[in-house]
Structure formats: C-alpha cells, structure tokens
Amino acid sequence: IGSVLSLTQPTFSPQDWNLTWHTENPDFTQCFQNTVLVWIPCIYLWACFPVYFLYLRCHDRGYIQMSNLNKAKTALGLILWIVCWADLFYSFWERSQNFFLISPTVLGITMLLATFLIQYERMKGVQSSGVMTIFWLISLLCATVIFRSKIILALNMGAEVDAFRYVTFCTYFILLLVQLILCCFPEQPPLFSETVNDPKPCPEFSASFLSRITFWWITGLMIQGYRRPLEAKDLWSLNKEDTSEEIVPGLARNWAKEWAKTKRQPLSMLYSSKKQQKSDSNGDVTEEAEALIIKPSQKNYEASLFKVLYKTFGPYFLMSFLFKAAHDLLMFTGPEILKLLINFVNDKHAPNWQGYFYTGLLFVCACLQTLILHQYFHICFVTGMRLKTAIVGVIYRKALVITNSARKTSTVGEIVNLMSVDAQRFMDLATYINMIWSAPLQVILALYLLWRNLGPSVLAGVAVMILLVPINAVMAMKTKTYQKAQMKSKDNRIKLMNEILNGIKVLKLYAWELAFREKVLEIRQKELKVLKKSAYLAAMATFTWVCAPFLVALSTFAVYVKIDKNNVLDAQKAFVSLALFNILRFPLNMLPMVISSIVEASVSLKRLRVFLSHEELDPDSIIRRPTADAEGSIIVKNATFSWSRNDPPSLKSINFTVPEGSLIAVVGQVGCGKSSLLSALLGEMDKKEGHVVVKGSVAYVPQQAWVQNATLKENIIFGREMNESRYKRVIEACALLPDIEILPTGDRTEIGEKGVNLSGGQKQRVSLARAVYCNADVYLFDDPLSAVDAHVGKHIFEKVIGPKGILKNKTRVLVTHAVNYLPQMDTILVMSDGEISEMGSYQELLKQDGAFAEFLRTYANAEQSMENSDANSPSGKEGKPVENGVIVNEAPGKLMHRQLSNSSTYSRETGKSQHQSSTAELQKPLAEKNSWKLTEADTAKTGRVKATVYWDYMKAIGLFISFLSIFLFMCNHVASLASNYWLSLWTDDPVINGTQQYTNVRLGVYGALGISQGIAVFGYSMVVSIGGIFASRHLHLNLLHNVLRSPMSFFERTPSGNLVNRFSKEIDTIDSTIPPIIKMFMGSTFNVIGACIIILLATPIAAVIIPPLGLVYLFVQRFYVATSRQLKRLESVSRSPVYSHFNETLLGVSVIRAFEEQKRFIKQNDMKVDENQKAYYPSIVANRWLAVRLEYVGNCIVLFAALFAVIARNKLSPGLVGLSVSYSLQITAYLNWLVRMSSELETNIVAVERVKEYAEMEKEAEWSIEQTAPASTWPEEGKVEFRGYGLRYREDLDLVLKNINVTINGGEKIGIVGRTGAGKSSLTLGLFRINEAAEGEIIIDGINIAKIGLHDLRFKITIIPQDPILFSGSLRMNLDPFDQHSDEDIWRSLELAHLKNFVSALPDKLNHECAEGGENLSVGQRQLVCLARALLRKSKILVLDEATAAVDLETDNLIQSTIKSQFEECTVLTIAHRLNTIMDYTRVLVLDRGEVVECGSPDSLLQEKGIFYSMAKDSGLV
C-alpha cells in the first residue's frame, strides 16, 4: 500500500491526506478505492500475460487431466467474472458516474483472462503457478482495504448503504479468498511425464508455489537425514532438465556450430601452403601474395566458448538478473524505514498506527528480500551445476574423438584437471558473476542515500573505504605468494613422506627412523615459518575487515560535526548512516574476490577452448563395410599414414589384401611400424592418401592390456549380451580358468584401477578374452603373447589364434616377435622403416633369403635357448600357470600367509598368484583386509563430533592461549557494544541554540573505544593464528612420531594412500582451514550475542521472545547440520568415480573406438555425473532451506525489536530505538554466518580427530631402553642362538616358524634354503624383531635380544635387503643418514663395493641426487649401494637376503666376492635362492614349512639325498 501512496500522491487533495494519514483512524477516499485499488491487480496480470504466455508455449510439460480442483478454480473464475459484470449492469441501470462503469469492466475482463490462464496452464502441465498465486494475493490485499473501509462506512453512517454493491463486494471478497486458498494446492502430475515411471521423483515440480519459494518441499529429506544418516538410495532422481542427456547435447550442438565457423579457414591455409611448396624457382612473388591473402582470414575468427555458454545457459540465467536487481533495491528499504521509525519516535504527536505500519512494512520488506535473495541463489547454483554437467560431458565426448597427436599435447592429468578444477571454477563463478554489475549499483545507491543524509562529509568515510581496498589487494597478493611457498614445502614433505611409507621396511631394518624424522621436521619447520608469516597477514586482514566499518563511521561523523557548529548528530543521521555503511561493506569486499574469480575463470575458459578446438579423427578415412564383396577382408591400396597432419608419414605406400579367414603375421625389428599399421587399420592415424577398406566389425588387442575397474566378467563381456556357453569356451581357451579359481570371488572379483590386482600376463589374457568373446569379423592382435609365459603362450596360440583355434574362420592379423609360430601362418608381412619390405608364406620368404631370413637368425638363437631351459624347468609341464615365477601348486596352505619378502606384494597384490586348497582360508584374510579398508575410510566420519575433540584441539593450542583468545574476543565485542551505545547517548544529547554541547568529549571517547576495539581484534587474530600454528606443529609432530613408532604389521594393513592423506589433507586442514574458521565462528557467535544484548537493553520485554526464537534456531540448525554433513559426504564419494572413469577412458580410448563402444561409455559417464549431481542438488537446496528458515528467525527479531520500540515509544529515546533496530537489521546476516561456520567447523575439526586416531594405535617396543642397553662393543663374537624359537604374523594365524633350535658360532657362514613359503625370510624378520617371538628366544653373544631396545639391536646387525630401496636425497645421505662417518670411510666402502669409479665420474660425486626410489641408478647399482651401506656399518652379524630382483650375474659375483673378503670374521646368514652361491659355506639350514629339516655342510647334505639334494638337482648343480 505504501507504493500505492507514492504512486497517487498528486490525486490527493490536502483534505484527502487528513483523511488518510494525519488521523488516528486512516482510510482512503472513495475515488481512490474504486480506481487505483481495483486497477493494481489488473495491471499486474496484463503485464505478466504476454511473457508468461510465451514461456508456457515453449515449456510444455505434458497435459494435466481435469480434476475437481481444476474444475473448482475455473468455476470460481467464471463466477467472479459474473459478479463483476453484475456490478457493471447495475451501474448501467443506475446510470451513475464513470468510474463505476470502467472499473467493473476492466475487472471482469481480467477475471476472464485469469480463467483462461487457469485452463491454459493445465494444458501445458503447470502444477502450481506463481503468477496466478501472486495475482490472487494482490487482489485480495486490495480488496481487504476496500472491505475494511466499507465496514467502517456501514458502522458510522448506517444510512446510505448500497445493498446490492455490498452483497456483490462481499461475494467477490469471499471468492478471492477461496481462489487464493485453492491456489496453494498443487495439481496432479501431467500425463505421460517422466515422474510417473520414476521410482523417486524430485518433489520440487509437484510442490505448490508457496512450498517452492520457501523450499518447504525438501523438509521430508531433512527429517529423514536427522533420524538416520542418509544413503545414496534416499536421494531423489534429478529433474529432467538437470540431467546430462538434456544439457550436454545442447552445449555440444551450439559449440559445433560455433566451431564450424572457424574450421573453414585453416583448410584454405593448409591448401595454400601446399601450393607454396610446389611453387617454381621464380615463385617468390606469388608466395608473398598468397601469404597476404591468407593472413586476414586467419585472425578473422576464433571460436568463442563464452558465447556458446551464454547461448546455452543465458536465458535461464537472465531470471537471476531480475531477482538480484529487486533484492538490491529492497536492501535499501531497511535503512529508509529505520529513518521513518526514528522520526516517528521523535514526533510525540504522530498517531500510533503509523509505528505499527512501519514495523509491518519493515518485516514484509525483510521477508520479501529473503525470498527473492534465495530464489536468486537457487537459480545461480542450479546454473552452476548445469554448467559443470555440460562442461564435463562435452570434455568427455571430445576426449573420445580427438586425434592421438592432440592427445599428446595435454597429459591425462591435465585433461582430468579440466574436468575437475576448471569446471568447478565455472560453477563458483556462476554465483558471483552478477556482482560485477550489482556491487557498483549497491555502492552508488548507498552513497546517494548517505549524501542525502549527511551531505559531503560522506566523502571522508568513502575515502577510508577506498584506501582500504588497495591495502586488502596487496595483502591478497602477498598471501598468494606465501601460499605458493607453503605449497612447495608441502609438496616436498608429502613426497618425502611417501617415500618413507614406501620404504618403511628398510627404515626399520636399518633403524633409520630418527634421521628421517629430522628430515621431515626440517621441511615442516620451513612450512611453519611461512605459515607464521601468513598468519600475521591474516591478522592484519581481519583487523582491517572488522575495523573498516568503524573507521568509516568515525571519520564521517568526525568530519560532519567538525565542519559546522550547527551540524547536529541526531539518532536518525547516525543510525541510518551506520546501517548504510554496513550495507556498503559487503560489495566493497566482494569486488576483489569477484574480479580474481573472473580472472581464474577466464584462464579456465581459454584452456577449455583450446581443448575443445583440438583436431578430431576423421571417421571416413577407413571404410568399414559389412562383408559382401569377395575380394578380401582387409584391402589397403597405396596408403600413406602419419600420426598427425603435420608429421612426416610413418607408414609409406602400403599395399596388401587380406583374404577372408586367413591368419597373417606382421614381423619386423623394434620400431619398424608394426603397431602403427594396426592403428592405421583402426583409423587412429591420419590418412594422407590411398584407400583402406576393413570389412565388418573389428576386435583389437593392444600391446599394453587395458583393463577396466569392473568385475572380471564385465571386462570380458564388454557390453555385449551374455552367452554362458560361449563365455565358458572363451575363458578356457584363454587359459583363464586357473586364475579365476585363485581370485577371491571368481569372475565376479572386482579388478582395481589399471588392473592392479592382476599380473601382466593375466591382464593380457583378459584383454584377449574380451576380443574373442565379442565375435567380430576381423581380429587385430598387437603382440599379445609377449607378456605371458612361454607354455601359456603356446596354449593360447593353439586354442585361440592358430589354425585350430576358436577363431579359425576369422580374419586375424597378429603382430609378433615369437618366431616359432611363424611356420603356421598363411601369410607373413615383413616391415622395415614403415614400409612392407617382403610378403609371402614362411617357405617363400625363407627362399628369398632377404630381411626376413636375417630377422629369423637374430631371433631364433634367443628363442632356442629359452625353449631348452623351458624343457628342463619344472614349470615346463602344460597347463600349470606360472605367474610371477611362483609355481602355483607348491605348499598350498602357507602361501597366503607367507609374507613375501618384498612386503609390497603382500599388501597390494593379495591373491595374485596364490593357489590354495581351501579358498575359505584365503577369503578370511582378504575379507578382513577389505572390510578393514572400508571401515578405515569411514569410521571417523559419521555422527556428531565429540566434545573431546575440541578439548584435544584446545590442549594442542595450549590452554593459556585458548582462554586468552576467548578473553580478547570478549574485550573486542564489549568495546564494540560500548562504542555504539556511546553513539546512541551522543545522539540523544539535547540541542541548545542549534548545537550540541560536549561534541569533542563525545567524539574523543567514541574514537578511544574504537581504537581499543581495534587493538583487541588484532590481539585475538594474532593469538588465534599463532595458537593454530602451535597446534599444527604439535599435532603433526605427534602424528609423525606415532606413525614411525608403529609396527610393520600396521603398514601392511593400512593402504599407504590413507596415511599420505593424513599427512597432506588433514594436516593442511589443521594448518590453514581451522584457525580462520574458528575466528569467524567466534566472531559470529559474539556478534549474535551482542545484538541480543543491545535489543534487551533497549526493550527488556524482548526477553520473552529471544529464548523461543533461539530454540527454533538451534532446532533448525541441528536438523540442517545432520543432513548437510551426510549429503556432502555422499557428494564427495560419488565424485571420484567420475574422475576415475574418465581417467580409464583416456587410457583405453583406442580400444573403445576399435570396439565401437563410444555410445555406451558416454552413457556411463553421463550416469556417473548424474549420480554425483543427485547428491549435490539436495545439498544446494538444503543450504537454501536453512537460509530461508534462519532469515525468518532474524526477520522475527527485527519485527519484535521494532514492535517493542513502538510500544514503548514514550519511554525510549530515539537513540536507543535506532541502536536496537540497526543491530537487529544485521542479525540475519550473522545468524546465517554462524550456522555456516558451525557446520564448517564441525566438518573440519574431524581432521584433528583423524590425526589423533593414530596416537592410540599399537606401538612396537621401545627404541632404546637405558637399563638394558648392551655395551657399545657388543656383539664381539657374533654368536647367534635360536632356542625353541617360534613366530607368527598375527595372533589369529598359525605359527610360521616353529621349534627352531640352532646355534651359529661367531664367524660362521650359514646358507638358509627352502622352497617358496618355507619361512626363510621370516627368520630374518624374527632376528630384527620386525615381528616379536611367539615362543622361545634368540640369544646373541649371551644377551636375549627381546630385552633390549629395538635400535640398540638393529644398529648392531646389518642386512642387505632383497629389493634395494634408495631414498631421494644425496648419495651420501643414502649411505650414512646420521652423518657418523668421515668422507674417507665412505669412499673406502664405495671402492670395496666397486662403485668408486661410477661415483667419482658423477659431477656431484657424493652429493649426487638420487631420484625417488633411486630411479636414476640401475638395479645393479642400487644393490651395490646397499652393499656399501653394509660395509660402512661393518657389524659382526650380516644378513644377506639374496636378491631375486634382476641383478645380473656380474653384480652378483661382485657382491659375493666382496662379502667373502670383507666379512671374513663376521657371522653371515644368507637366504639363498640360487644354490651355487652357498655351495662353499660352512653350513646350510634347510627349512620346510617353518621347521629346520636338514642342517649340515653342503657336501654332507648332498650325500643324504634329501630336500637339499632335490633342489640342487632342479638347479642343475648335480
């Protein structure tokens, strides 16, 4: 109605004002009632009609059947029309004034229009209409005003009552009310809509208009989430317009159009450049001319991705523009109404109702603002979500068609980043982008209103604000550089941690944990230094951010009262200005953020555009026809191929024809283009010229097997339909049966990413089985037999590829190096340097004696020797698969529990090659391991965070600092409240002779309070930041110490990813996320409390209202946090499959294209993205739900603050009213912040919990024990005794070693031998106490090793481990991490280890940087470095775990001879795999199944003809 007043002021004469405003009982004039109030709803509906009509025509949701609800609405509409026109005819009959004719006519037509819209909406499937609801609401409001005045009239004058018009009006009023009520109920869903078939449709579209604007429709989910943690199955399906299949094609189409415009030019360019090459000797001039012609067209046009995105998402996004503008205007009504309220309190003669009217207006504006703002946010977030979906989908589709040369320009990681990081940036930007115009608008409006209020003195405040902007910008820049530095340290630290965790076994064996702990802490120290600097910066930033509004107010008010004696600071000026300054603060702080986020998004836009503009494969370069003509199955004529358009051709003038059903081999030296030929046939290469036909479907087996992260069965079937008998046949032929028996759940076993739980040979066979199963016409094999063992290869060739195999009637092209299969081929292509040099059958080519014969000679010798060794070895028997060199049938029960000496195979490849008699036994540890892994990821995350975690964090900071920070927070807020209270006292100072007294005192105290507030802010900011650093130092130190103290078994069952995650993600959260969140949380809490205190001071009666509102608030917040936490988790859980699936697709893109499975993969990707968005969408809505509820609580506080102020206006000074209302206006923002922050705090404090988790884990024995520490010279003799020794890996497993009684005298050389799994390595583990004894004891030189500290023991025994592990760092660090030895010692040991020449040739000599894992040294050299370590330590007992790794014989001999000469008087225990190394040892222990079965000198054992003899026989030593 306020708007009505302003619209029609000119039509009021002064006496009208007396009737309407300056009166205790306000009313409108008859004339006004009959014109303006009737026309407002009509104008609204007619204005909406054209736009709405067009919108409905475009968005057809289906047809809704006539229902009783609809019939009722229509009937009421018609009755309304009849009522209006009854009025009209009555007026005709009366022949009365004009407006009695005009108004009913207009109203009647409008009612008809409304009825038409009700029907039209039904036909277009609108279930609940906002336009109509608002129309009925406005009509009812206007009618209410008229109704009231009619009642007053009837009561007062009693006489002239126009009975007919009264009756019609009452009918009209009641009908409107009924229409409005009916409008709140939604219609039933349209026929044929998706929601009918949907198991869990999203309730959004079937909800009523009111439910949608208040987000009431998600409440069901919130209640569910509050009762129990949500699961994926509780989520609704996405709305149709948010799904990938709706969104992505739109963007793809628009981009294709845009890209087509640019594609026209490059072709002409290429063409012209070819002409230049051919130009003759005097062609210089023409060349110039051509270049000139080309240039303009080149610059002419670049595909603009922004334009495309705008085209696709613009229309929907435009709505947000309108909402934002409306909201910005409404924002300024608060201060304006506050001004009127203060005037009202000042003016003791104003009628009471005006105060209530202002209060009501304030509340209505606030509520409208809330609804509009959150509609706006909802649109932005949904747009952001759609943008992300579209971008991910488009990138995925593009990745399936780009050429290989384009693939090379960006790594897999970069492309995945496009999908994760860049798409995310657009999502974030969508919510900000409107600030670009809205922030300046808000600033200009605020300044205009301030100028009206205070005049030019505003400029002082603005100057302060503008000054703070560059200061903030500089700080942001600085923070960025610090962040970079910190990231660098963090990366180094994580890299080191990664290595420590991967080589933890070696660290423990060498007792090097302390040295590495120091290294990590050194990096951490650097990191904390940077953190400290950025903490100071953050404190400065907080200081400026919190004190800015105060400084601005201070400068403005100071200037205002100093300019002119007569400038009086009254309540209205002071508090309205404060409210406006608070509004100003937000856009000014947002602008830098928005600009930086736009810059980031533009970078992302460019990267995306580059990726989407890559060349695509030409689908028509290879003609794929179904088999019909008789010529042959593959025909290639004069074809030349290259990898990309600009490369030189890698295959030149290829001609061949493959008859149908024949078997062709392609052979040649390495790198002669064999694989390229297959790629060319698949259409992966760029065809320069020629003609290629491949008839029928194609199956392809790549050289490096590509395995999906799915079950084994799904990998083989690969999207075809299941055919049981065929499947069995394929598995048998590909020799997969034994492997399937080994796997824990047969062919339903999930295969990890990149096939981690399969060996190379198994992967290759799965890849082969996939091709065989798909039953294509043409088979292309890229050397599939290289990764499998010889006899398995033979089996596969016979059963699958060869002339008698499953595929004998298909066309097969086999690239191979195996010479022995060549005689069975129909034709052999010999390639050299990208050309086919010879072609023919085996016999023909031998006769020609060309390149092929030479190829045979080089390869045949190597093959021959392999064949011979194969015949002798026990693995030669057919059908027993040999993988990883473990013969599968040995020692069935033990293999699983044997800890393979290189622990990695135990933890990563469980169940790779372990065949077992009882699968139950096998499944137990596996199931245990998996369940362990799962709980590992999830335990810390469900339910609320316990209070103890917060207490732990406070203890980590230090209790003194914690309480100090809380105290400083209190000081700050007390000062802030005091300064504002002082301001209210100041404004109430009486005005004498046009000036206030004591202005200077007031100003001085105000300033002083402000400065003390600033000091407190700075103090608490510093204290919290520094405290945070103390906490992160303390927590990291503890975590590191505890992890290093954990026993080996802990590392074996914890995936290293989990541990690294703790050190990176969780520690990072503790470092840089928790302190600022704590600051904001505390700040918001105190702000809210402060606002409540002020309101209570001004109007103590508010004490009745605040507690119930507080309860509502807490209730809503608990509801929200429970659901939102779970939704966040579901969203992040469903996010990783999107990326891993994408990663997988990029690796296997040639296979997908060969099998023509692109459609299925695109569909899979869409499904995964939709799964992710399914969890994301409710979480957006949940945020909106919460915000609307909370802001309503805030709006209620505003309402009551104003209301009580109006009620108590006679007791209150205007200053206090201003103070309490301006505080209450801010409270909404604070409440919002508070919930956001408390849920953030709860999400992030979990990091502390997860870091503490490892503190409670079991630890290994003490590192050193003072009391029992042996003498420094121990062991002098080196005598080792095992007395009844037994060992087990875990409490619930059997003994691995039992009842071992052996005495080894000082200086003896002992060999330990035994079949796989006999317990050889377990013996060394026991000696080093990696596992503690289960029974018995080990005595070294009279001291029981179980009694001394671990480091005391491990420093005194040396081991040369099986797999040589080096750490990244200098060579010197790798030999002597504690810096105990001089350089001479190190050089001497290097000389003895035969490394001196190599090291002295290096530029950095001893400081040579070893790469991660020692990658830049050969395996042999690494083994020698380990030998040098042993020589440096020179202890009395040496354990040599003989390398099964690929150490060449030469290195092996070097090591053996060095050990013989250098460790002459030491005790040496060797775990031997090659028996020839220990034939000259003093004694040999033969272990079998964990017991010593034979012991004696090698010669005597050979005489006994026992186990040792049979092993020697196998090795060919006897």
Side-chain angles (χ1 to χ4, degrees), residues 973-987:
H973 284 280
V974 168
S976 148
L977 290 181
S979 68
N980 281 334
Y981 187 65
W982 183 260
L983 185 65
S984 83
L985 294 178
W986 178 5
T987 59

Side-chain angles (χ1 to χ4, degrees), residues 216-227 230 236 1185:
W216 187 260
W217 51 272
I218 195 187
T219 311
L221 189 74
M222 300 302 252
I223 292 171
Q224 213 174 354
Y226 182 66
R227 291 205 183 123
L230 288 173
W236 313 303
W1185 178 90

Side-chain angles (χ1 to χ4, degrees), residues 755-891:
V756 284
N757 47 355
L758 296 180
S759 69
Q762 285 168 325
K763 274 193 268 196
Q764 195 66 62
R765 297 204 299 271
V766 169
S767 173
L768 188 67
R770 171 195 305 149
V772 176
Y773 184 83
C774 96
N775 200 7
D777 303 323
V778 177
Y779 281 81
L780 306 176
F781 298 110
D782 196 348
D783 205 1
L785 303 176
S786 58
V788 296
D789 300 311
H791 66 277
V792 181
K794 211 154 154 191
H795 170 93
I796 288 178
F797 187 79
E798 278 169 17
K799 291 278 198 287
V800 182
I801 304 173
K804 298 199 183 65
I806 292 191
L807 303 176
K808 55 177 180 284
N809 306 325
K810 310 281 188 185
T811 311
R812 291 144 298 168
V813 178
L814 172 69
V815 170
T816 184
H817 287 135
V819 179
N820 44 352
Y821 304 129
L822 294 181
Q824 305 180 30
M825 301 289 173
D826 298 334
T827 318
I828 298 171
L829 296 180
V830 184
M831 298 199 63
S832 62
D833 294 330
E835 296 181 25
I836 296 179
S837 58
E838 296 178 277
M839 182 171 168
S841 69
Y842 188 73
Q843 257 46 43
E844 290 168 12
L845 290 178
L846 275 182
K847 284 191 192 111
Q848 286 178 17
D849 199 36
F852 176 67
E854 191 184 325
F855 169 80
L856 274 188
R857 283 183 210 108
T858 39
Y859 274 94
N861 301 340
E863 286 277 318
Q864 220 55 47
S865 56
M866 263 185 66
E867 286 289 295
N868 295 346
S869 69
D870 204 51
N872 302 344
S873 72
S875 63
K877 302 176 198 125
E878 268 298 335
K880 254 194 210 171
V882 176
E883 293 274 343
N884 284 6
V886 177
I887 299 160
V888 163
N889 257 7
E890 246 188 33

Side-chain angles (χ1 to χ4, degrees), residues 982 985-987 989 997-1007:
W982 183 260
L985 294 178
W986 178 5
T987 59
D989 271 357
Q997 315 280 292
Y998 324 123
T999 309
N1000 292 347
V1001 179
R1002 293 287 189 197
L1003 193 60
V1005 173
Y1006 187 59

Side-chain angles (χ1 to χ4, degrees), residues 1363-1422:
D1363 37 339
I1365 291 189
L1366 300 188
F1367 298 96
S1368 60
S1370 65
L1371 196 58
R1372 194 199 152 108
M1373 198 276 325
N1374 265 302
L1375 291 169
D1376 174 28
F1378 288 99
D1379 280 339
Q1380 293 165 328
H1381 302 275
S1382 64
D1383 277 11
E1384 293 83 73
D1385 291 350
I1386 294 181
W1387 278 111
R1388 195 161 60 252
S1389 70
L1390 283 174
E1391 185 175 6
L1392 294 170
H1394 310 277
L1395 274 172
K1396 187 173 181 181
N1397 298 343
F1398 166 69
V1399 178
S1400 43
L1402 293 170
D1404 301 335
K1405 303 204 166 36
L1406 284 180
N1407 294 329
H1408 172 69
E1409 275 297 315
C1410 299
E1412 199 167 327
E1415 301 286 317
N1416 52 0
L1417 298 177
S1418 72
V1419 181
Q1421 285 165 334
R1422 277 183 256 167

